Amino acid sequence: MSIVVSPEQVHQIVNNLHHDPFEVLGAHPLEEEGKVNKWVVRAYLPKTTAAWVILPSQRQEYPMTTAYHPHFFECVIDISELNNYQLRIHEGEQERVIYDSYAFRSAKLSDFDLHLFGEGNHHRIYEKLGAHLAEIEGIKGVYFAVWAPNARNVSIIGDFNNWDGRDHQMRKRNNMVWELFIPEIGVGTKYKYEIKNWEGHIYEKSDPYGFAQEVRPKTASIVANLDSYTWDDSDWMEKRRHSDPLTQPVSVYELHLGSWLHASSAEPPRLLSGEGEAVPVSEWNTGARFLSYYELAQKLIPYVKELGYTHIELLPIAEHPFDGSWGYQVTGYFAPTSRYGNPEDFMYFVDQCHQNGLGVLVDWVPGHFPKDGHGLAFFDGTHLYEHGDPRKGEHKEWGTLIFNYGRNEVRNFLVANALFWFDKYHIDGIRVDAVASMLYLDYCRKDGEWVANEYGGRENLEAAEFLRQVNHVIFSYFPGILSIAEESTAWPMVSWPTYMGGLGFNLKWNMGWMHDMLDYFGMDPWFRQFHQNNVTFSMWYNHSENYMLALSHDEVVHGKSNMIGKMPGDEWQKFANVRALFSYMFTHPGKKTMFMSMEFGQWSEWNVWGDLEWGLLQYEPHQQLKRFFSDLNATYKSEPALYTQDFGQDGFEWIDCSDNSHSVVSFLRWSKNWQEFLVVVCNFTPQPHSHYRVGVPHPGFYQEIFNSDAGKYGGSNMGNLGGKWSEEWSYHSRPYSIDLCLPPLGVLVLKISPNASGE
């Protein structure tokens, strides 16, 4: 006989129609004369033929009877208190004992959590939503919570219930979040959310806040514990907290983990030493498995350290289903991709980078997301994360959807996600992809395909405010980090603080410099005399933003050729041009980023499906170019004049920028407080100059500390025999000058010797 429950309530449970199964299922007290003397226990067990309630403390069993449905069970127990009961169930020929999820009513999410989330201000919402190990009333399990306000019902499906959405129906809190605790499951459990809309359509979704995911093409989320790893980078983190990266050397090696090197390929050769040869590479294999995070830590970190870079930048590391997207179409925003290992493995990789003096930057993609069925698209049967209007919610040329930055919960999802990678994985910075696509409503859209803002303009005011919030939050929690914008337009104050009205980034990629320099170096040197402004124009606007000079992956794909292939002339001139380009880049104000393979002169474009062409390093010109980059980074890091005043007007001064007839520019780089300076002279033609006079500010011996034409780099070895004394010969409006030998397609860096005076 049924007690209290009605046929309609049973019908709702059986057909997944109830917004709060706890109202029907689980244990409920029965009062008589104001006292609880009995309890009724109800369970919906779709695959069960018989069931009993077990009270472990009393070692008693109570048979359950069916009510209104052959799989809806209940029983009444004469007891005043009921805790931690179990169910013994028969499923076919099998029998098992389980804890009932509906016996645990405690919630990890408080009303205040939900309030902050609704406001868009719950910075660590990832500690509440998603799947979290928990212990309730002494029983261990996993607490699940998902935002799906427009769903009719949500269930958790996984290996633990044979992917049957009838078993673990969730309850709805505050009309926005669904939650349920499932006992006796733990780390490694695979799961998804089965979401039904009001029309009865079913969507099986990965967890938007899931910490791990199956290796593609599988798409289930995996329960993970992000607090089990023991970090050993406290010194690095403390030093970072008190540092200002804008006054430090920042030289970034950008790479894609999946195509840097595969497991069956030979290891990348080391630089030549005085005692031995570089290790030859006999073969490389495009079909091999990926290196794991552990293997990458062993191979990649020593390689990048040897080259002298300060940071590694990873193309998007968040989970993505399609290798060919390079990671830029993300489905698992809180999960490091499982291609290379589990979350703890990635923590180890970052930890090892820090212990070896390398910072870790990751590309972050809040501008769009793919339409894959298991992802965020149409998540609860409605346009939840994306705009419903395709004029605002879709990038047609990319086939992706655009986040609704004006919705508090969506903005909270993204802000918390940015913070998450700093919090849980100790990363040192983000490079935000495709910022221009976020800032402009008409980005890659024709007239009639976009909607103006409330003032009739094309600026996406909601996206701009979102970016300000992201940067304000991450810098508030983690001073000393980097937030870099890939922004290609003239949007003002991208790298200005939010309190001044800026977007709050501390660096912006200088796309104008990149295009000007590649156009300039791509032309025959004879024609460069007519395009001197390509070299000099960047200094007209250099102080408007904090710029990073980047020659990235985008410049070596889609028919653009790799860097050395862009250069004119014979093979010698191509290598010399590359050395001149990067020497100018590293002496020009701004932080630096370059993509993998440029350091040894790969000829072919980047191929995401294969390895870099490590075999080239058995040839001397490529070995020499690699040595050049190692020395260039060493010079950059050792000279404060090259990095302490990248963004102030006192850090750079032209000596002569008007010698277009020779395609020569010369300038000074000053350190803070004008304590040290360097003289940089660049000759961008193959014509050497045996007597080229350059004005200098002080008398003394000017030591040649770097020469891109040195013989050890494959150059012609022209130079100044270690340096030149100044002469009291006024030139370039300066009281002193030096008479230099300028090598062909060469860049010289000179520094006055503190122990030698010309007076």
Side-chain angles (χ1 to χ4, degrees):
M1 177 180 177
S2 175
I3 300 176
V4 180
V5 70
S6 69
E8 175 59 26
Q9 289 175 305
V10 174
H11 173 79
Q12 288 179 323
I13 294 295
V14 169
N15 292 280
N16 274 27
L17 295 172
H18 208 296
H19 73 285
D20 185 1
F22 283 86
E23 290 183 359
V24 179
L25 302 178
H28 298 265
L30 300 177
E31 291 188 1
E32 293 181 356
E33 299 179 356
K35 295 182 179 180
V36 176
N37 295 314
K38 296 181 180 180
W39 290 75
V40 58
V41 177
R42 304 189 193 95
Y44 175 49
L45 306 167
K47 297 176 284 292
T48 298
T49 56
W52 294 259
V53 175
I54 301 176
L55 302 183
S57 60
Q58 298 182 5
R59 299 182 180 179
Q60 294 187 33
E61 289 187 0
Y62 298 87
M64 304 184 78
T65 59
T66 56
Y68 302 122
H69 190 277
H71 298 298
F72 188 92
F73 296 85
E74 68 176 11
C75 75
V76 176
I77 303 174
D78 292 324
I79 193 171
S80 59
E81 292 186 8
L82 182 61
N83 296 311
N84 289 350
Y85 67 87
Q86 294 175 294
L87 300 176
R88 181 164 66 89
I89 58 177
H90 281 176
E91 296 176 337
E93 297 181 354
Q94 295 183 343
E95 179 180 291
R96 58 193 180 105
V97 175
I98 63 172
Y99 281 98
D100 183 7
S101 289
Y102 301 100
F104 302 92
R105 294 177 175 271
S106 298
K108 189 177 180 71
L109 269 166
S110 68
D111 289 339
F112 186 56
D113 289 324
L114 295 173
H115 171 76
L116 289 176
F117 181 56
E119 282 189 340
N121 290 318
H122 200 310
H123 299 158
R124 286 193 165 99
I125 190 62
Y126 50 84
E127 294 181 345
K128 302 294 183 175
L129 296 182
H132 299 273
L133 299 178
E135 183 174 319
I136 299 178
E137 298 177 13
I139 306 302
K140 294 181 179 180
V142 178
Y143 171 84
F144 296 89
V146 62
W147 178 56
N150 304 306
R152 189 188 73 182
N153 288 92
V154 181
S155 297
I156 306 165
I157 55 177
D159 291 336
F160 48 87
N161 61 16
N162 295 314
W163 304 91
D164 190 334
R166 298 174 296 174
D167 282 346
H168 293 97
Q169 302 174 39
M170 306 178 79
R171 70 172 172 184
K172 197 173 188 180
R173 290 275 308 282
N174 290 38
N175 206 33
M176 59 190 303
V177 170
W178 300 79
E179 66 178 0
L180 187 67
F181 173 75
I182 300 181
E184 299 185 301
I185 63 172
V187 171
T189 300
K190 299 179 179 66
Y191 70 97
K192 283 187 176 182
Y193 296 111
E194 181 185 274
I195 298 175
K196 293 183 180 180
N197 69 4
W198 287 93
E199 296 175 347
H201 298 152
I202 297 176
Y203 308 88
E204 292 187 0
K205 295 288 188 176
S206 302
D207 190 346
Y209 291 86
F211 293 151
Q213 193 166 300
E214 290 183 292
V215 179
R216 76 323 172 224
K218 295 181 178 180
T219 57
S221 298
I222 302 174
V223 176
N225 181 7
L226 300 189
D227 298 321
S228 60
Y229 182 78
T230 301
W231 289 88
D232 196 20
D233 64 347
S234 57
D235 290 344
W236 171 277
M237 298 293 283
E238 183 64 17
K239 181 180 178 181
R240 187 187 76 183
R241 190 168 70 88
H242 296 286
S243 69
D244 177 7
L246 299 186
T247 62
Q248 301 297 318
V250 177
S251 176
V252 180
Y253 185 76
E254 182 193 36
L255 75 148
H256 176 258
L257 290 179
S259 56
W260 182 76
L261 181 71
H262 284 83
S264 68
S265 302
E267 293 189 25
R270 292 173 291 180
L271 292 172
L272 288 170
S273 67
E275 300 177 356
E277 297 281 335
V279 179
V281 179
S282 59
E283 62 180 14
W284 53 287
N285 185 346
T286 60
R289 70 168 176 85
F290 293 126
L291 292 174
S292 69
Y293 291 118
Y294 270 82
E295 291 170 318
L296 285 161
Q298 302 306 314
K299 297 177 185 293
L300 174 63
I301 292 174
Y303 179 78
V304 176
K305 279 185 64 179
E306 186 179 29
L307 284 168
Y309 288 92
T310 63
H311 292 73
I312 293 172
E313 179 184 332
L314 306 177
L315 269 62
I317 202 69
E319 194 60 83
H320 51 281
F322 178 46
D323 293 8
S325 76
W326 311 339
Y328 288 98
Q329 295 194 7
V330 178
T331 52
Y333 274 80
F334 289 84
T337 179
S338 54
R339 288 166 173 79
Y340 319 119
N342 61 39
E344 194 169 276
D345 297 338
F346 183 56
M347 292 177 183
Y348 172 82
F349 174 82
V350 176
D351 198 2
Q352 288 298 305
C353 285
H354 288 172
Q355 292 180 47
N356 284 274
L358 288 173
V360 179
L361 314 178
V362 299
D363 279 12
W364 187 54
V365 192
H368 62 123
F369 60 93
K371 299 177 181 179
D372 295 68
H374 68 281
L376 299 177
F378 216 63
F379 185 79
D380 64 354
T382 67
H383 297 287
L384 188 64
Y385 285 88
E386 69 274 19
H387 279 283
D389 187 338
R391 295 175 300 171
K392 298 178 69 176
E394 185 174 358
H395 281 304
K396 290 188 177 180
E397 68 167 350
W398 297 343
T400 55
L401 301 175
I402 302 171
F403 286 103
N404 183 351
Y405 305 109
R407 186 162 191 167
N408 291 347
E409 298 90 348
V410 174
R411 193 171 64 253
N412 201 146
F413 170 81
L414 291 170
V415 171
N417 182 245
L419 186 70
F420 167 83
W421 291 97
F422 292 100
D423 180 20
K424 297 298 184 181
Y425 289 99
H426 291 203
I427 67 165
D428 302 286
I430 53 175
R431 201 265 324 187
V432 183
D433 179 62
V435 171
S437 74
M438 302 168 63
L439 291 176
Y440 294 97
L441 295 165
D442 63 344
Y443 185 85
C444 290
R445 297 177 187 274
K446 300 176 183 178
D447 290 344
E449 294 182 349
W450 59 282
V451 180
N453 63 33
E454 59 186 300
Y455 303 106
R458 65 192 187 103
E459 297 82 9
N460 190 333
L461 304 178
E462 295 171 344
E465 189 56 37
F466 155 68
L467 291 171
R468 292 188 183 98
Q469 183 182 359
V470 167
N471 286 315
H472 174 75
V473 168
I474 62 175
F475 283 115
S476 296
Y477 282 94
F478 298 102
I481 61 170
L482 289 169
S483 180
I484 308 163
E486 184 205 10
E487 206 287 310
S488 55
T489 74
W491 186 285
M493 301 192 296
V494 171
S495 59
W496 290 37
T498 56
Y499 62 80
M500 298 179 68
L503 294 183
F505 295 94
N506 56 0
L507 286 172
K508 172 184 173 175
W509 271 15
N510 193 335
M511 309 296 280
W513 177 90
M514 179 270 293
H515 287 297
D516 286 345
M517 295 310 298
L518 292 184
D519 288 346
Y520 182 83
F521 275 90
M523 65 181 70
D524 185 283
W526 188 86
F527 292 100
R528 292 176 183 174
Q529 62 185 305
F530 307 111
H531 299 274
Q532 187 88 339
N533 61 305
N534 281 46
V535 176
T536 61
F537 181 65
S538 59
M539 290 312 301
W540 282 97
Y541 61 84
N542 185 69
H543 308 305
S544 64
E545 300 278 3
N546 299 332
Y547 282 114
M548 170 170 273
L549 309 182
L551 293 170
S552 73
H553 63 278
D554 282 328
E555 310 317 315
V556 294
V557 290
H558 302 321
K560 297 178 183 177
S561 177
N562 210 309
M563 198 57 59
I564 198 165
K566 300 177 190 290
M567 303 295 125
D570 58 20
E571 183 174 304
W572 187 93
Q573 290 193 31
K574 288 180 183 292
F575 277 92
N577 270 300
V578 164
R579 295 194 302 271
L581 167 60
F582 280 99
S583 297
Y584 182 59
M585 174 183 179
F586 273 70
T587 53
H588 187 288
K591 306 310 179 185
K592 329 296 178 185
T593 292
M594 57 173 284
F595 188 57
M596 65 181 190
S597 80
M598 295 179 185
E599 75 274 12
F600 62 83
Q602 178 166 308
W603 290 100
S604 64
E605 291 188 335
W606 170 45
N607 173 18
V608 72
W609 309 105
D611 285 349
L612 302 186
E613 294 182 347
W614 297 112
L616 292 174
L617 279 166
Q618 62 188 301
Y619 304 111
E620 188 174 24
H622 299 275
Q623 298 169 8
Q624 292 169 328
L625 183 61
K626 189 162 175 277
R627 180 189 282 120
F628 160 81
F629 275 104
S630 180
D631 289 354
L632 182 62
N633 269 311
T635 301
Y636 170 65
K637 292 188 298 184
S638 65
E639 296 298 333
L642 292 177
Y643 59 79
T644 55
Q645 289 205 102
D646 277 323
F647 313 114
Q649 296 188 14
D650 294 338
F652 178 92
E653 185 179 356
W654 286 115
I655 297 175
D656 183 13
C657 62
S658 60
D659 188 7
N660 61 295
S661 62
H662 295 103
S663 296
V664 173
V665 295
S666 53
F667 53 90
L668 300 172
R669 291 298 310 275
W670 295 90
S671 67
K672 272 194 171 182
N673 302 320
W674 299 69
Q675 292 178 345
E676 296 180 7
F677 69 93
L678 299 176
V679 177
V680 182
V681 187
C682 309
N683 176 19
F684 293 133
T685 73
Q687 177 63 49
H689 303 285
S690 57
H691 294 283
Y692 193 93
R693 187 164 293 277
V694 174
V696 293
H698 300 301
F701 181 76
Y702 284 78
Q703 181 184 0
E704 187 179 273
I705 64 172
F706 187 81
N707 182 347
S708 70
D709 188 54
K712 62 182 177 178
Y713 307 142
S716 63
N717 213 30
M718 293 186 66
N720 296 276
L721 300 176
K724 283 293 185 75
W725 285 96
S726 66
E727 299 175 75
E728 196 170 345
W729 182 340
S730 179
Y731 208 74
H732 291 140
S733 301
R734 301 178 189 280
Y736 307 96
S737 60
I738 50 178
D739 183 22
L740 297 173
C741 174
L742 298 190
L745 293 170
V747 175
L748 302 177
V749 182
L750 301 105
K751 181 179 182 179
I752 194 167
S753 174
N755 300 318
S757 172
E759 295 183 319

